Amino acid sequence: MTTRLKTNLLACSIFLMQTVAVSVTHSSYLEASDHSGLFKAHSFCEQAVDLGEIRMNYAMAGSSNSPALLLIPGQTESWWGYEGAMWLLKDSYQVYAVDMRGQGRSTWTTGRYSLDNFGNDLVRFIDIVIQRPVVVAGLSSGGVLSAWLSAFAKPGQVRGAIYEDPPLFASETTPAIGQSVMQTVAGPFFSLWYKWLGGQWTVGDVTGMAAAIPKEIPAWIQPYLALTSGPTGLDISLTEYDPEFGAAFASGIVGLTCDHEAMLTHVKTPILFTHHSRLIDPETGNLLGAISDTQAQYVQDLITNNGNNSFTMLSFPLASHDMHSTDPGTYVTSITTWMASKGFGSILVLSPAQVTSAKAKANTTCTA
């Protein structure tokens, strides 16, 4: 048995014991109706589809006569992180944005957070809802799921895949290369949230969590907190998120049957990889960002060395992790330029006025 396998099994055993310890208080799944007070209306109307195990929440914009695009949010975000981008895309693409299990109004599933379950939810969604070949685009853990789909989706489902700042290798506990999840900002916060908020928010000690940040978040991270984008304490997006989702990444159980290195050797579709802000802490060698340059290069090597030569890397060293939300104009122009180069749609070059208008529309409420 390899050292990596032994370490993964130990981490997963610990996580399973933690899950059993809290299962008495949250043994059932949570549906949107069980905590409806968390949610508010957004600019696109939401709907749900029954995928069997879960109900998946999503929003759709655009015409079925346009190319299909599936947007997959990262952790602590829900589908509405893409609202501004959707307003920019909708006249040229039919856009679907989803909540994954454990996010937003989709089912929260105790003990069932894994890359394979997430990926197969999306395979069913494509089959049942989209019903035609689609380009998939995901941020962060959603970018890892874009990679999963580009490797393991059913033949003909995925035309191309966009990995937006994906933590490939850097979201594993024992990666083949580079920093692990606990050597990034994300891992310690996943553990913090799960400890103080609990799976399905069964603990909910927000005050205790805030007090614990200086003690439980590693010292190397503390100076960088003001520089990071995304939730580091508590905000509205975190309340729409099952902390067990992140805990599955911190423990390694999420990828127990889906090693990133092996997955990437199976990628079959054209790929666009956008790499955003990243720094290496000079004292610890730990990673501030989603994925290091060394890890991103290894992603490219694994894909191209296995016969897939349609790989494009775009570097945005000053961009926030969630560029699609903070800079939707650059995001939309970048992905549509790539899609047009592959014959998947048209280029959208946007004016500042169009971007401003889209952001304003994203703050309206669907009335249908």
Side-chain angles (χ1 to χ4, degrees):
M1 184 181 294
T2 67
T3 301
R4 285 181 69 202
L5 181 56
K6 287 179 180 177
T7 304
N8 277 330
L9 290 174
L10 176 60
C12 291
S13 297
I14 293 170
F15 178 79
L16 287 170
M17 288 188 287
Q18 292 171 333
T19 301
V20 169
V22 297
S23 64
V24 172
T25 56
H26 69 289
S27 59
S28 61
Y29 288 5
L30 280 181
E31 302 293 347
S33 59
D34 297 322
H35 49 182
S36 57
L38 292 180
F39 310 114
K40 67 176 185 178
H42 292 278
S43 61
F44 293 103
C45 294
E46 299 171 68
Q47 49 195 312
V49 59
D50 192 335
L51 300 183
E53 181 186 4
I54 70 161
R55 267 53 57 200
M56 178 169 275
N57 185 62
Y58 69 100
M60 186 275 290
S63 167
S64 59
N65 294 323
S66 301
L69 175 63
L70 172 60
L71 303 175
I72 309 164
Q75 289 190 60
T76 76
E77 183 182 43
S78 293
W79 73 267
W80 39 258
Y82 286 101
E83 277 185 287
M86 290 172 70
W87 281 105
L88 295 171
L89 288 161
K90 65 183 285 294
D91 291 337
S92 300
Y93 294 85
Q94 186 173 41
V95 187
Y96 299 83
V98 298
D99 288 337
M100 297 307 301
R101 61 171 68 207
Q103 288 178 324
R105 297 176 191 261
S106 291
T107 310
W108 295 16
T109 58
T110 299
R112 294 280 291 162
Y113 295 114
S114 73
L115 293 178
D116 289 334
N117 282 341
F118 290 131
N120 281 304
D121 290 341
L122 293 168
V123 166
R124 293 185 184 195
F125 183 84
I126 294 169
D127 264 355
I128 296 170
V129 177
I130 301 178
Q131 297 185 353
R132 60 190 174 119
V134 63
V135 174
V136 299
L139 165 72
S140 197
S141 60
V144 176
L145 294 174
S146 288
W148 190 99
L149 288 167
S150 66
F152 300 138
K154 293 166 65 174
Q157 281 192 316
V158 175
R159 303 175 74 189
I162 298 164
Y163 307 171
E164 184 187 359
D165 211 26
L168 291 160
F169 303 114
S171 59
E172 293 185 293
T173 53
T174 54
I177 188 170
Q179 296 84 356
S180 72
V181 66
M182 298 308 291
Q183 293 172 302
T184 70
V185 173
F189 273 100
F190 291 158
S191 296
L192 179 89
W193 296 336
Y194 186 66
K195 175 181 177 180
W196 292 97
L197 304 178
Q200 298 184 349
W201 280 72
T202 52
V203 178
D205 187 357
V206 175
T207 301
M209 183 187 74
I213 288 176
K215 296 176 288 185
E216 298 186 13
I217 296 301
W220 77 268
I221 294 176
Q222 300 286 344
Y224 296 113
L225 289 182
L227 304 177
T228 60
S229 64
T232 53
L234 179 69
D235 62 14
I236 184 173
S237 59
L238 192 56
T239 64
E240 294 192 18
Y241 163 79
D242 185 353
E244 190 180 323
F245 189 141
F249 279 83
S251 70
I253 198 170
V254 75
L256 184 59
T257 59
C258 187
D259 176 78
H260 291 191
E261 185 178 42
M263 174 180 70
L264 291 167
T265 66
H266 293 278
V267 170
K268 305 171 184 69
T269 72
I271 302 301
L272 171 64
F273 186 123
T274 68
H275 195 188
H276 305 175
S277 175
R278 62 274 187 189
L279 294 171
I280 303 298
D281 180 69
E283 294 187 6
T284 65
N286 291 338
L287 173 64
L288 184 75
I291 181 171
S292 70
D293 289 325
T294 301
Q295 290 169 323
Q297 184 59 57
Y298 192 45
V299 171
Q300 181 171 354
D301 292 344
L302 285 170
I303 292 174
T304 58
N305 290 344
N306 282 277
N308 185 342
N309 294 316
S310 185
F311 185 98
T312 302
M313 176 82 75
L314 297 179
S315 180
F316 297 95
L318 300 180
S320 66
H321 182 47
D322 55 341
M323 183 171 70
H324 68 257
S325 178
T326 59
D327 189 0
T330 298
Y331 174 78
V332 167
T333 295
S334 299
I335 68 168
T336 60
T337 298
W338 175 79
M339 285 192 286
S341 74
K342 302 300 177 185
F344 300 152
S346 56
I347 299 174
L348 299 178
V349 179
L350 304 161
S351 68
Q354 287 174 298
V355 174
T356 299
S357 175
K359 289 180 177 180
K361 290 176 181 176
N363 289 320
T364 62
T365 299
C366 173
T367 57

